[in-house]
Amino acid sequence: MSDSGADKAPDVQLPNVHVRAEVLVQALPHMQRYDEEVVVIKYGGHAMGDRAAAEDFAEDIVLLEQSGLKPVVVHGGGPQIGRMLDRLGIKSEFREGLRVTDEATVEVVEMVLAGSINKQIVGWISAEGGKAIGLCGKDGNMVRARRAARTVVDPDSHIERHIDLGLVGEPEHVDRTVLDAVLKAELIPVLAPVAVGGDGQTYNVNADTFAGAIAGAMRAKRLLLLTDVPGVLDKNKKLIPELSIEDCRRLIADGTITAGMIPKIETCIYALEQGVEAVVILDGKVPHAVLLELFTDYGAGTLIRRS
């Protein structure tokens, strides 16, 4: 290197450079822990609608893959589906907070999820230098679904009744063949939660449930559920940093975990019982939340383990 002053970096930059180097050193053991491991990330919520957040997410995914991990992205798209249904004049009916999916609606669901949203995320990852491929549960018969069965208990009569949600499905079987081939080719799979039934019928599958099934089948090291909240909160609305399966069931029973967090926790429990090492529920709106969770000592949400 030349001794001339023109070739030397200004001294004012050195502290910042040293800090960045220290951050990389601290991340090294975390990278080694996840080397060659599958990490399934469910991407959804309002973070999907924010361009800056989407670009941060894409950067995170590319960095994971470049660091030796095998990221698998599963995405949702409820708000986008709702907007498209409104544009087409198709009315949505909800029962107990769940969208009823008829023939007309499932066509829109597939178009939005497996089409526009899926390819948009692939484009974001590609723009950051990654090589992603967009797929859905139908491709390679990856996810076979059955019609979802939901029941509610009437608060007055305490009688349990069945809710017909139409073409809403739940995973019945996951075939790893396509995903194994994609990951071996060092591509990043981006999965839309649309699946096919044994009769060839298309089903709309909840993205959290879909991600849990994929993570379980892949024996993922981690399943990350990116949401619109910091994680699981206690009754004082404070973040609970870590839980066991037993803790989760207790908090559901005593009313601490309620409403939309219950199905997320049920997905976490299912994934853990299928062999996933740990699941994290975290806020997808936090910049680089995925990197904070996987590559630092601080974490970014609620970590859930088997015990």
Side-chain angles (χ1 to χ4, degrees), residues 40-54:
V40 177
I41 303 111
K42 183 267 179 172
Y43 179 48
H46 294 297
M48 287 183 62
D50 182 272
R51 181 59 184 265

Side-chain angles (χ1 to χ4, degrees), residues 75 108-121 192 194:
H75 64 84
V108 175
V109 167
E110 185 168 18
M111 176 179 68
V112 174
L113 290 180
S116 60
I117 295 177
N118 188 269
K119 302 313 175 190
Q120 188 176 49
I121 296 172
V194 177

Side-chain angles (χ1 to χ4, degrees), residues 16-33 294-297:
N16 191 33
V17 171
H18 290 155
V19 168
R20 293 184 182 186
E22 183 63 27
V23 168
L24 291 174
V25 170
Q26 291 177 4
L28 180 59
H30 300 281
M31 293 178 178
Q32 292 171 330
R33 177 194 306 168
L294 295 177
F295 286 168
T296 75
D297 294 328

Side-chain angles (χ1 to χ4, degrees), residues 90-142:
I90 300 174
K91 292 184 177 180
S92 289
E93 180 185 354
F94 287 84
R95 295 177 186 165
E96 302 298 329
L98 299 171
R99 189 194 303 274
V100 177
T101 304
D102 57 16
E103 290 282 357
T105 302
V106 81
E107 288 185 14
V108 175
V109 167
E110 185 168 18
M111 176 179 68
V112 174
L113 290 180
S116 60
I117 295 177
N118 188 269
K119 302 313 175 190
Q120 188 176 49
I121 296 172
V122 168
W124 287 332
I125 293 173
S126 298
E128 299 300 334
K131 293 182 179 180
I133 181 169
L135 301 165
C136 76
K138 286 184 170 183
D139 294 308
N141 203 23
M142 185 191 310

